[in-house]
């Protein structure tokens, strides 16, 4: 599977081109998004709409930083399902998000910012 599209240039500009800071931001992104995706899975399994909404919202913000628009869209859909307390369709969306995020993380781990970390 191909990695979802993303653009690190806005983030690189935000850190004024500092490669060490960029590496740290990517490391934090990888660990925090994994935790959020796992928490989303657990919230869906518990049918906890409030937790799905809040966790998806947090994840969406992290994904926006990477400009990963397809993943942002998935997180937004999960957030909306949580807000509507309609989790019947949430697990397949979570699965898609999980697969695409793993692919993105694999690509991020191969960027120059991670190789020099």
């Amino acid at each position: 599977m191909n990695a979802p599209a993303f653009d690190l240039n806005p983030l690189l500009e935000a850190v004024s081109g500092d490669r060490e800071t960029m590496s740290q931001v990517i490391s934090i992104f990888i660990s925090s998004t994994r935790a959020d995706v796992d928490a989303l899975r657990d919230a869906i399994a518990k049918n906890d709409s409030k937790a799905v909404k809040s966790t998806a919202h947090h994840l969406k913000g992290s994904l926006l930083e990477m400009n990963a628009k397809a993943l942002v869209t998935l997180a937004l859909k999960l957030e909306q399902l949580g807000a509507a307390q309609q989790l019947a369709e949430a697990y397949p969306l979570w699965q898609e998000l999980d697969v695409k995020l793993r692919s993105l993380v694999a690509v991020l781990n191969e960027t120059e910012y991670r190789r020099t970390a």
Side-chain angles (χ1 to χ4, degrees):
M1 170 182 236
N2 293 336
F6 66 99
D7 181 5
L8 294 179
N9 288 322
L11 184 57
L12 186 58
E13 287 177 25
V15 298
S16 302
D18 185 322
R19 294 184 179 286
E20 183 175 326
T21 300
M22 187 72 163
S23 176
Q24 292 171 353
V25 168
I26 290 172
S27 292
I28 292 167
F29 169 83
I30 290 170
S31 64
S32 71
T33 55
R34 185 74 255 151
D36 283 345
V37 170
D38 291 346
L40 259 175
R41 180 198 59 227
D42 295 345
I44 292 166
K46 293 176 184 173
N47 203 35
D48 185 344
S49 296
K50 185 177 178 182
V52 168
K53 178 186 173 200
S54 65
T55 305
H57 179 78
H58 184 264
L59 180 60
K60 182 180 70 179
S62 298
L63 294 166
L64 281 166
E65 289 181 15
M66 295 296 152
N67 224 356
K69 293 176 183 165
L71 289 167
V72 169
T73 299
L74 289 170
L76 175 60
K77 288 178 182 177
L78 285 163
E79 181 182 4
Q80 291 168 337
L81 289 174
Q85 298 181 0
Q86 300 291 323
L87 298 184
E89 299 173 23
Y91 189 72
L93 286 173
W94 175 86
Q95 287 178 308
E96 183 178 354
L97 179 73
D98 184 50
V99 167
K100 288 182 177 181
L101 182 62
R102 287 176 189 275
S103 182
L104 174 60
V105 166
V107 172
L108 286 173
N109 276 324
E110 293 301 316
T111 66
E112 63 188 286
Y113 309 107
R114 296 288 291 169
R115 289 193 304 262
T116 61

